Amino acid sequence: MLLVFLLMLALIMVATLVTVQTATYGHSTGQVRSHALTSARVVQDKIQNRATQLSTALSTFSQDFSTKGLIRTGKDDPASLRSALGNHQKRMEADLSWVLDQDGRLLSSTAETEAKHLEVSAERYLTGGIHWLKLDNHYYLVQAAPVKFVESSPRANAWLFGAIDAAKLIEQQLVELTDMQVSLMADGAVVVGSTLPMVQAETLLSQVNQVLHSPGSLKLDDMELLFFTFPIGQADALSLQLVLVTPADKAYLSYNSLLGQLALILALAAALALIAAIVVSNGITRPLTSLVSVTNKISKGQYIDEVPQSSTAEIASLSGAISEMQQGIRQRELEIQQLAYFDALTGLPNRNQFNEQLRELIAAQKAVTLLVMDLDRFKDINDTLGHGIGDQLLKLVANRLATLAVPNLFMARLGGDEFGLLCFDDKQVDADTFAKKVRAIFEQPFAINKIVLELDASIGLAVCPEHSSDPDNLVQLADIAMYSCKGHHHSYAIYAPALNKYSVQRLSLMTELKSALASDQLQLYYQPKLDLKKSKVVGVECLVRWIHPVHGFIAPDQFIPLAEQTGAIRHLTNWALRKALQQQQAWRNLGFELQVAVNISALDLVDMKLPEHLAALLDEYQANPSSLILEVTESALMMDAEAAMRALQRIHDMGLVLSIDDFGTGYSSMGQLKQMPVHELKIDKAFVLDLANNKDDQVMVKTLVSLAQHLELSTVAEGVEDEQALSMLREVGCDKAQGFYLSKPLPAAQFESWLRSYQPPLATELNA
């Protein structure tokens, strides 16, 4: 109840705080924006007023008769005109003034600058707005007035200009008027004027340029500021902006104050509500509190001797139920722990407890010697004397292990006839001594029912942290050492990297593949393909088999990926193509016309030398290109669809038959399939193995065959295991079939014998 009450209160408080915060922040932001806009208008009006004053003064000066006379004779007496300009400039409180003739050429000026900078279009500065001009890296507010020698003349005879330094327009008085710091910036890179110190203003400008929107926030001298930018005035190539800045704390003063008050109110409300909830819940739940405490202890595995009682009938009944529940849980825990962590036969800890103990020791950074022991010829004892004798023998072994005089020893039965022992934190017992002590328990024979059994064991050891600090890896290394004993008849072995034959064998296979091709360790086996319409064997699939002189048969799944990793797959493919065409020629000489199909990998497909090699082989064995089928998996085609498409097209143009292997298991789209220059689809055996019984497979096969027919492609079904599947494939229109129902892959000589004696289904005679 208390939790629900507090949760509801917390949700209400959070909702209230978020709602008020959002509304207040939005209102405060609107006020700040409105204040900034008003301030910008104040600054703009002040500058506009100054521009109007300047324009009025220029107009008055331009109508003065003596001024007109000086301008008319300005070319002959520029000194007098310049003096008049200077006097009037002071009265206008301007910083520059100049006169252009009616053609826009400079007559006289109070500015020390080149004439070309002052020869501007006067019409632009007559509109009465705010106009700017840049002269010698300074920015000026500029106004102009026409001078007409005859007032009724439609055309001005000269132009009178006045300019005020823009920096002087940004006065400290603006801070008092706007309650914001004001800066005028030009071209996004120059501080024209500012109420801030110049260093701070330039720092401000550099940060404003990095913010892509206005209003924005930035930091200046560890103070968070809000800034607003407004364009001001007009100019041809100039971009002047008014930047208004105010401290964020000041802008959101009312917002922060309100939030603080609201947080205080909510905190007080929460405290009062909590006190009320505690009082209410205690009054309701006090009779149950002690029982809740008891159940919590039981849930943590802490059992109590006596469950608290109560005079209330309902609580007393609940107390009795809890007491009975505790007894039941305790009994079941004991049973579960025994089953989960101990071996039922020997009473020793099992593999689960062994692994947990090993992890704890390593986590505690203990020095651990791990010993794994497997009984030799134990299967023979079980098979000869029965499992009962075997079980008794395991108990005797466990009893002898218990007599080992090794301190800090933990032992377990890992399963079957395998035992594990851990010796930890004992500097006097090294791995050799530990192994010899365990080996000594097998020096005396074991007697069971008057049967005396000599027993031996293979023992492997690994040391932490010397060999590994990973529990699983340490067990694996001990296993490797143990199995090395079985191969070399040693009584025990301590792990060494040389014993790890798994990585060594894999590395060996990677380096031996090329030599295996030269020494005829690899062979081609041939699986027939039956034409279902003609009931005739028309071809074979060539499958590579590796019979290693040391390791025996090595499955293609083991060495083909290695060949692809090392790049040896190209040599393997070239060897397979040559052997296939060579065998095809031999069969042709015997009267058998058979297509041969060779699998190629994704690396072969994009090999630029493959077409050239194929052409040379076809010419060498006088083979028809259409008698050679290249099978490539759908997944290989999708690895680089564009490159694969180009490679397929080159091979197609040579006249070879292209087949997509394992079709239906990859990811090719119908659009890609339509564009592929292939002749044949091989339906994956996953859809064919249970074709007679699986309706989904039947629908899939029928769909794939129909798809191939519409694309004018032939179909081959792999994995045919029975006559029913063969009949169904014939019914749906599949062209060819292969699988163990016809024949497993055979060496060339056995295949020839099979071919001579084979009678195709539904045919009376094989037309070979």
Side-chain angles (χ1 to χ4, degrees), residues 294-499:
V294 168
T295 56
N296 287 335
K297 290 180 180 179
I298 294 174
S299 68
K300 298 176 181 178
Q302 301 173 4
Y303 299 112
I304 61 174
D305 296 330
E306 185 177 354
V307 177
Q309 300 298 317
S310 174
S311 59
T312 306
E314 291 81 0
I315 302 300
S317 176
L318 180 60
S319 297
I322 291 175
S323 180
E324 293 177 3
M325 178 189 70
Q326 177 180 248
Q327 295 302 323
I329 292 174
R330 177 181 290 175
Q331 183 61 33
R332 282 191 295 274
E333 273 197 352
L334 291 174
E335 295 174 358
I336 292 171
Q337 185 175 11
Q338 188 68 25
L339 292 173
Y341 290 102
F342 290 90
D343 175 51
L345 178 64
T346 63
L348 292 175
N350 61 10
R351 182 183 292 273
N352 290 335
Q353 191 174 169
F354 180 83
N355 290 337
E356 186 173 321
Q357 181 71 17
L358 178 59
R359 283 193 292 270
E360 290 177 358
L361 290 173
I362 292 179
Q365 297 184 346
K366 302 286 187 181
V368 181
T369 300
L370 186 152
L371 182 148
V372 176
M373 178 180 69
D374 183 80
L375 303 181
D376 294 342
R377 298 178 291 104
F378 185 75
K379 184 177 182 302
D380 295 337
I381 295 174
N382 269 339
D383 294 342
T384 305
L385 302 177
H387 289 275
I389 298 296
D391 289 346
Q392 293 185 52
L393 182 58
L394 291 174
K395 292 180 182 179
L396 292 177
V397 172
N399 292 336
R400 289 195 183 181
L401 286 173
T403 64
L404 284 172
V406 178
N408 299 327
L409 180 65
F410 180 88
M411 64 185 69
R413 182 189 175 200
L414 303 182
D417 60 334
E418 188 176 1
F419 294 83
L421 292 87
L422 299 174
C423 178
F424 53 94
D425 268 2
D426 193 337
K427 299 180 180 179
Q428 296 180 354
V429 180
D430 58 16
D432 281 301
T433 303
F434 187 24
K436 290 175 181 177
K437 287 189 175 186
V438 175
R439 182 71 183 81
I441 71 171
F442 296 97
E443 292 178 355
Q444 297 297 324
F446 295 83
I448 304 173
N449 296 341
K450 298 182 181 180
I451 300 174
V452 178
L453 297 173
E454 294 284 348
L455 191 63
D456 207 345
S458 298
I459 299 173
L461 299 96
V463 181
C464 171
E466 179 181 341
H467 297 138
S468 176
S469 293
D470 179 80
D472 294 334
N473 190 42
L474 197 67
V475 174
Q476 180 185 5
L477 299 182
D479 278 336
I480 291 172
M482 180 189 70
Y483 283 112
S484 72
C485 294
K486 291 182 179 297
H488 297 86
H489 304 289
H490 298 316
S491 57
Y492 71 89
I494 301 173
Y495 174 78
L499 297 178

Side-chain angles (χ1 to χ4, degrees), residues 723-757:
E723 172 61 30
Q724 288 178 298
L726 198 66
S727 299
M728 289 183 178
L729 290 170
R730 182 179 286 106
E731 289 174 5
V732 299
C734 183
D735 297 302
K736 301 174 187 176
Q738 69 180 89
F740 277 29
Y741 177 69
L742 302 174
S743 172
K744 65 179 182 180
L746 299 170
Q750 294 182 28
F751 176 78
E752 291 173 13
S753 300
W754 174 88
L755 186 60
R756 288 189 175 94
S757 61

Side-chain angles (χ1 to χ4, degrees), residues 162-189:
I164 300 174
D165 191 342
K168 295 180 179 180
L169 299 173
I170 309 303
E171 304 169 329
Q172 287 297 323
Q173 182 187 14
L174 295 176
V175 179
E176 299 175 2
L177 292 174
T178 63
D179 198 24
M180 301 182 82
Q181 295 292 338
V182 182
S183 298
L184 183 64
M185 300 185 178
D187 298 329

Side-chain angles (χ1 to χ4, degrees), residues 43 46-48 50-51 95 130-132 139-142 164-174 182 184 193-195:
V43 176
K46 184 173 176 58
I47 296 176
Q48 178 64 60
R50 190 70 184 89
D95 295 296
I130 298 174
H131 303 282
W132 306 102
Y139 295 84
Y140 294 90
L141 176 67
V142 178
I164 300 174
D165 191 342
K168 295 180 179 180
L169 299 173
I170 309 303
E171 304 169 329
Q172 287 297 323
Q173 182 187 14
L174 295 176
V182 182
L184 183 64
S194 178
T195 59

